[in-house]
Amino acid sequence: MDFAVGIDIGGQTSKLGVVDRDGNVLNGTVIRSDTYGTDSNAFISALADAVKKCIADAGVSGKVCGIGVGAPNGNYYTGQILNAPNLAWAAGQTVPIAGELSAGLGGLPVTLTNDANAAAVGEMTYGVARGMRDFIMITLGTGVGSGIVIDGNVVYGHDGFAGELGHVNVVHHGGRLCGCGQHGCLETYCSATGVARTARERLAASVAPSLLRDVKDVTSKDVYEAARQGDRLAIDIFKYTGTVMGRALAGFVAFSAPEAIVLFGGLARAREFIYEPVVKSLNRYVMPVWKDKVKVLFSSLKESDAAILGASALAW
Amino acid sequence: MDFAVGIDIGGQTSKLGVVDRDGNVLNGTVIRSDTYGTDSNAFISALADAVKKCIADAGVSGKVCGIGVGAPNGNYYTGQILNAPNLAWAAGQTVPIAGELSAGLGGLPVTLTNDANAAAVGEMTYGVARGMRDFIMITLGTGVGSGIVIDGNVVYGHDGFAGELGHVNVVHHGGRLCGCGQHGCLETYCSATGVARTARERLAASVAPSLLRDVKDVTSKDVYEAARQGDRLAIDIFKYTGTVMGRALAGFVAFSAPEAIVLFGGLARAREFIYEPVVKSLNRYVMPVWKDKVKVLFSSLKESDAAILGASALAW
């Protein structure tokens, strides 16, 4: 059994591919996730067909040991996606995807976890966290996710939902409203959308000149492009983002004393602008015993492959 | 090998006792910790003598499988106490206590951990956390310590110092100065000394009548006594303490999704005044998926025995 299948389910598309033991993705492919309305069965059926085709095209029929799936709000213990607002067919409802996908694939074992945990497993198996037994993966995308590895194992907790560090409160008074219903969550400051919110606030709060003043509906990508052109306001936005993140990381370090924090996802591309503020703020707020001792790393995996690799690693 | 020895090293005294498999403490005894100046060897030698006498008096010579030691800044991996400010003979220096105590006891195995981790092990072995695989122990004494259990194991982290939740930042701006050198640590609000600080602040900030106005150098015990007499200001102090704690706990829950939080230590005796504010604040700030789902429990172990039991449980 030399192959596994990795599946990364996202709001718009789902990526899948056959993965060999060396971490090569064979026949990576993409299907839509958003054309099935609220019909989870239709999506799972299309996904099963795509997996079958992918296995057949790779010429590895009968050689696949299992399927790993990463999905928003995916629960490792139950194999269910529980109320994932970004997936129309799993919004406000529970979808037993592991069991149903397995049934659609003639009983091949299917392991589910949330997307950030899958990324952590991928990083530990194929990326910069290889050989590490204690690290924290922070995924910086539209939201902020996390996968926590302690003594070589992903932390699932009592109910399978551990590792929601994007929803730790980082601003106590007057914090931004989060999609989860709380105020001041890390995600509202340190995600791509958080960066865009900071940009809007900064632009409104000052009259400082900035390339961003010419942009309609500023996105984090716009901020990145402006920063690369030396725009002071844009650079300050990343500085603020990194400072908030570093302070939050200091608290996470006090919890599990990791060897490293690994940053991953779209916003991690702005590495040149957030690395220094993150590290400075982390070491400013962390207990003396950990000052200058915890590594801050960026994922080394190609982003398009990382999600598939991470999910597939669950199956080994 | 039906017996173990548990040792709890504190700033003023160290408690030790032989423990049987049912959690009964035999021949519990106490020695001073604070009469050896900076001479760690003298302390360890006195401790070894006390252990030998305790084993002999209990009539279990040759039947002890090992020694468990809980101590401030005790490191499980290295067997060393690393710079414990409250122990004169370990302040600013590293004391390899596990190895030296073992040598003084003819090679009996000695396992060291920090005091809060020992309390967590005790609670898991003999207390309210029996049968739980995921919980967080918070020790509320002069400081705030923590022992985190995930999937049945104490979290030690990369370096053995994991679980310093007393030093998570809970007030970002203008937070109180902590002994660790940071500002706004949980410990500065939710320890016995934190309660006393809150009392001084509250007394200075208002002219509200209070029994505490007649007390010189208010302690958390004074606040407790006043609260029991219905003193409004004292009750409000515990309410504030519990609210700050509950908000911090919400963040810890997002990390490891525990089945329960177990509160332990002197301040936990004020249960009647802090339980409700803690639970209310926890459920106010926690993500919806955990609302009203995480138990808040108080240790069921007799405090004088708990530290010995916890330490001894390390030895099994």
Side-chain angles (χ1 to χ4, degrees), chain B residues 49-171:
Chain B
D49 290 344
V51 170
K52 284 181 208 156
K53 183 168 186 311
C54 188
I55 292 173
D57 289 355
V60 297
S61 298
K63 294 183 188 160
V64 170
C65 66
I67 318 281
V69 182
N73 291 7
N75 190 297
Y76 179 76
Y77 293 146
T78 65
Q80 298 170 332
I81 297 177
L82 182 75
N83 182 19
N86 296 330
L87 304 170
W89 43 268
Q93 57 182 329
T94 298
V95 177
I97 190 167
E100 295 189 359
L101 185 59
S102 178
L105 291 169
L108 258 182
V110 174
T111 307
L112 175 72
T113 194
N114 84 33
D115 37 3
N117 287 342
V121 173
E123 210 63 50
M124 183 165 53
T125 314
Y126 306 110
V128 293
R130 243 178 309 184
M132 286 189 192
R133 300 195 58 80
D134 296 275
F135 70 98
I136 298 176
M137 182 93 181
I138 306 281
T139 62
L140 303 165
T142 314
V144 172
S146 63
I148 302 162
V149 174
I150 290 179
D151 205 17
N153 297 304
V154 173
V155 175
Y156 290 109
H158 178 56
D159 57 9
F161 290 115
E164 284 291 353
L165 299 184
H167 298 281
V168 166
N169 183 286
V170 297
V171 173

Side-chain angles (χ1 to χ4, degrees), chain B residues 193-278:
Chain B
T193 45
V195 167
R197 286 170 91 159
T198 302
R200 289 198 295 274
E201 280 184 11
R202 293 287 168 112
L203 288 167
S206 87
V207 293
S210 168
L211 295 169
L212 296 172
R213 297 205 179 272
D214 302 329
V215 183
K216 206 182 153 224
D217 295 331
V218 172
T219 65
S220 65
K221 195 160 169 292
D222 297 324
V223 181
Y224 177 63
E225 295 302 339
R228 291 198 60 175
Q229 291 178 58
D231 188 87
R232 176 53 47 194
L233 193 94
I235 292 170
D236 277 351
I237 289 166
F238 282 120
K239 193 173 165 188
Y240 173 74
T241 307
T243 302
V244 172
M245 197 186 310
R247 193 174 61 195
L249 296 180
F252 307 159
V253 168
F255 200 101
S256 69
E259 178 176 356
I261 310 273
V262 182
L263 304 179
F264 173 87
L267 197 59
R269 263 180 251 140
R271 173 179 182 153
E272 61 198 288
F273 303 111
I274 62 167
Y275 176 73
E276 240 177 85
V278 166

Side-chain angles (χ1 to χ4, degrees), chain B residues 9 33-34 36-40 43 81 87-91 93 95 97:
Chain B
I9 297 180
S33 315
D34 58 355
Y36 302 90
T38 58
D39 186 353
S40 62
F43 171 74
I81 297 177
L87 304 170
W89 43 268
Q93 57 182 329
V95 177
I97 190 167

Side-chain angles (χ1 to χ4, degrees), chain A:
Chain A
M1 292 305 186
D2 290 330
F3 300 92
V5 172
I7 304 175
D8 176 59
I9 297 180
Q12 280 151 7
T13 60
S14 295
K15 302 176 192 113
L16 64 149
V18 170
V19 178
D20 68 18
R21 294 223 174 244
D22 296 326
N24 299 304
V25 177
L26 318 176
N27 290 70
T29 178
V30 175
I31 67 167
R32 299 293 297 258
S33 313
D34 58 355
T35 52
Y36 302 90
T38 58
D39 186 353
S40 63
N41 289 328
F43 171 74
I44 293 170
S45 172
L47 184 59
D49 289 344
V51 170
K52 282 183 209 156
K53 184 168 184 314
C54 188
I55 292 174
D57 289 353
V60 298
S61 298
K63 294 182 189 162
V64 170
C65 67
I67 317 281
V69 182
N73 291 8
N75 191 296
Y76 179 76
Y77 293 145
T78 64
Q80 299 170 332
I81 297 177
L82 183 75
N83 182 19
N86 297 330
L87 303 170
W89 42 268
Q93 59 181 327
T94 298
V95 176
I97 189 166
E100 293 189 0
L101 184 60
S102 177
L105 292 168
L108 259 182
V110 174
T111 308
L112 175 71
T113 193
N114 83 34
D115 36 4
N117 288 341
V121 174
E123 210 63 51
M124 182 164 55
T125 313
Y126 305 109
V128 293
R130 244 177 309 183
M132 287 188 192
R133 300 195 59 79
D134 297 274
F135 70 98
I136 299 176
M137 182 94 182
I138 306 280
T139 62
L140 303 166
T142 314
V144 172
S146 64
I148 301 161
V149 173
I150 290 179
D151 203 18
N153 297 304
V154 173
V155 174
Y156 291 110
H158 179 56
D159 57 10
F161 290 114
E164 284 291 354
L165 300 183
H167 299 281
V168 166
N169 184 287
V170 296
V171 173
H172 297 147
H173 299 292
R176 295 175 184 168
L177 178 62
C178 183
C180 80
Q182 299 288 358
H183 285 83
C185 294
L186 178 62
E187 173 163 307
T188 64
Y189 294 87
C190 296
S191 61
T193 44
V195 168
R197 286 169 91 160
T198 302
R200 289 197 297 274
E201 281 184 13
R202 293 288 167 111
L203 288 167
S206 87
V207 292
S210 168
L211 294 169
L212 296 172
R213 296 207 180 272
D214 301 330
V215 183
K216 207 182 153 226
D217 294 331
V218 172
T219 65
S220 64
K221 196 159 169 291
D222 297 323
V223 180
Y224 177 62
E225 295 302 340
R228 291 198 61 175
Q229 292 178 56
D231 189 87
R232 177 51 48 195
L233 193 94
I235 291 171
D236 277 352
I237 289 166
F238 282 121
K239 193 172 165 189
Y240 173 74
T241 306
T243 302
V244 172
M245 199 187 309
R247 192 173 62 195
L249 295 180
F252 306 160
V253 168
F255 200 101
S256 70
E259 178 177 357
I261 310 273
V262 182
L263 304 179
F264 172 88
L267 197 58
R269 264 179 251 139
R271 173 180 182 155
E272 61 199 288
F273 303 111
I274 63 168
Y275 176 74
E276 240 177 85
V278 166
V279 170
K280 199 172 158 188
S281 170
L282 166 60
N283 288 312
R284 157 79 184 76
Y285 287 104
V286 87
M287 274 184 82
V289 67
W290 292 299
K291 247 183 229 308
D292 302 318
K293 287 195 182 146
V294 181
K295 299 172 204 156
V296 175
L297 305 173
F298 287 78
S299 170
S300 62
L301 299 176
K302 216 174 84 186
E303 203 172 336
S304 55
D305 283 356
I308 294 174
L309 284 173
S312 77
L314 286 168
W316 296 120

